Amino acid sequence: MKHTHSHIPLLIFAIVVTLVVGALYGYMFQMTEVSVSHASLARDIVVGEENGQAQSKSLSTLADATSADRARLNSFFVSSDTAVNFITNLESLGTQSGSVLSIASIDTDVSAGAAPGIIGHIHAHLSAHGSWASVMRLLDFTENMPYATSVSHVQLSSNNSSIKSASLWSITFDVQSLLIVSAASSTTM
Amino acid sequence: MIGVGSLFPAYIFAVLEEHSHLDQVAAFQKTVDASSITTTQKELSQSASTLDTISKTLESDLFYSTIRAVVALKGNVTLTSFAVEHPTTKVMSIIISGIAPTRADLLSFKSRLQGISNKATVDLPLSTLAQDIHVTFSIQVTEVLP
């Protein structure tokens, strides 16, 4: 009985083709997976960049919208080179309020030769006397000075301790304003 | 072979998509000026800090209104002195001295002061009430601000 073996090469060929196609499929699958992963990563980067651009735009819009107001912020500070104006303004409050005002002391916590832009305080101790209305006006005017000013240690007393209405009042208080060292000059206060 | 062929379009699409996105990123990076954004951020941050400093300073300007509020409640009591302190941003303390025509007037004044706020404590020494008329007093009001 004669056996024919012509089917063996075909079988080997079929196995080889199956293995090659399988390997090719695996390779393609791997490549596709990597590409999809890269594309997904790139899309995330694009989304991140878009968000960043939107934030930058809103930041610029905010900066533009507030630029005028932000420019005014420094006007709330007493500049070191215009501290004399501040003192003059304080003194003028006495006349404006109708009280007799004296500045008992004035000093600052900013050292001489401080770098421009350094923020500190200028302190003044004020005392005044006059009618009730005038000393209250003085307190009101001081609290509403066009500087970042705070008032503390307010003491009001009348010179009349009788049951009748007091006519003359004395007031003492401390005033503290924000001071900024200007670029034009360093403070020598 | 059909499986390999069916993966090919997906592969091509993914590669094109990736290149498209990378081109977009490159275009974004060309248009963005990182230094100007940093400068803007610094400016805004500095302004916020300055505003915060100014706000903190202005928080304590309550003396005029506080004294006016007390005077509005005095009735027929004569006030002779005030000592007002604002030790913290949340606490206002005021010592009021004066003369009341009668003990009843003083107690009435005290109750009006207590009505300023439910967070105000009014301290009137008991010894003050020993006098019946022309009562010289000193009241301390401490208010916790909202």
Side-chain angles (χ1 to χ4, degrees):
Chain A
M1 194 171 163
K2 189 178 177 184
H3 289 283
T4 175
H5 295 287
S6 61
H7 67 283
I8 293 176
L10 289 173
L11 187 64
I12 292 169
F13 179 72
I15 291 169
V16 168
V17 166
T18 303
L19 288 174
V20 167
V21 168
L24 194 61
Y25 180 82
Y27 174 75
M28 280 302 292
F29 186 84
Q30 183 69 23
M31 289 297 289
T32 307
E33 196 176 27
V34 167
S35 291
V36 168
S37 167
H38 284 178
S40 172
L41 196 66
R43 189 167 56 240
D44 289 346
I45 294 171
V46 169
V47 170
E49 289 287 342
E50 280 174 345
N51 288 342
Q53 281 227 328
Q55 282 182 345
S56 308
K57 199 173 177 181
S58 78
L59 209 62
S60 298
T61 309
L62 179 68
D64 291 343
T66 59
S67 63
D69 289 335
R70 287 186 293 113
R72 285 182 55 222
L73 284 178
N74 278 348
S75 70
F76 285 93
F77 290 84
V78 177
S79 172
S80 60
D81 58 351
T82 59
V84 175
N85 292 349
F86 173 74
I87 297 167
T88 310
N89 286 343
L90 269 184
E91 285 171 338
S92 70
L93 293 180
T95 315
Q96 290 170 32
S97 64
S99 62
V100 179
L101 170 72
S102 65
I103 301 174
S105 66
I106 192 157
D107 59 55
T108 178
D109 55 9
V110 176
S111 57
I118 293 287
I119 293 173
H121 299 91
I122 184 165
H123 311 271
H125 182 69
L126 306 184
S127 63
H129 62 268
S131 65
W132 168 259
S134 67
V135 295
M136 285 300 284
R137 265 198 303 273
L138 173 66
L139 184 59
D140 188 20
F141 290 169
T142 310
E143 284 188 337
N144 291 293
M145 282 180 82
Y147 303 103
T149 302
S150 68
V151 170
S152 59
H153 305 110
V154 176
Q155 300 230 355
L156 265 163
S157 60
S158 80
N159 66 342
N160 188 347
S161 59
S162 77
I163 193 76
K164 293 175 185 172
S165 294
S167 55
L168 189 66
W169 285 81
S170 300
I171 186 169
T172 63
F173 55 92
D174 293 336
V175 184
Q176 178 175 279
S177 276
L178 291 175
L179 176 81
I180 188 164
V181 179
S182 68
S185 66
S186 59
T187 183
T188 53
M189 294 182 73
Chain B
M1 284 305 287
I2 292 168
V4 172
S6 65
L7 279 175
F8 195 68
Y11 171 72
I12 295 295
F13 177 77
V15 168
L16 292 176
E17 189 79 355
E18 182 188 351
H19 282 290
S20 161
H21 288 321
L22 289 176
D23 288 345
Q24 276 182 289
V25 171
F28 277 136
Q29 284 171 346
K30 272 184 188 172
T31 57
V32 173
D33 184 0
S35 65
S36 77
I37 292 170
T38 309
T39 307
T40 309
Q41 277 178 328
K42 274 184 185 171
E43 280 176 11
L44 288 174
S45 171
Q46 194 175 9
S47 297
S49 167
T50 306
L51 193 60
D52 188 47
T53 307
I54 292 171
S55 300
K56 279 180 183 165
T57 303
L58 295 176
E59 269 175 3
S60 62
D61 287 347
L62 298 165
F63 294 91
Y64 175 78
S65 55
T66 302
I67 294 169
R68 288 296 297 262
V70 169
V71 170
L73 299 173
K74 78 182 184 73
N76 58 354
V77 169
T78 301
L79 303 178
T80 56
S81 76
F82 299 83
V84 195
E85 293 288 343
H86 197 190
T88 69
T89 53
K90 291 284 177 189
V91 176
M92 179 68 99
S93 162
I94 176 165
I95 298 171
I96 309 154
S97 301
I99 303 162
T102 66
R103 186 190 296 148
D105 290 328
L106 177 57
L107 291 173
S108 174
F109 177 51
K110 183 193 173 192
S111 64
R112 286 195 296 275
L113 288 173
Q114 279 170 327
I116 289 177
S117 151
N118 58 1
K119 289 188 175 176
T121 56
V122 180
D123 183 22
L124 175 66
L126 197 62
S127 57
T128 308
L129 300 173
Q131 286 178 281
D132 186 26
I133 58 168
H134 292 183
V135 188
T136 303
F137 68 88
S138 183
I139 289 181
Q140 178 163 5
V141 183
T142 307
E143 186 182 1
V144 179
L145 301 171

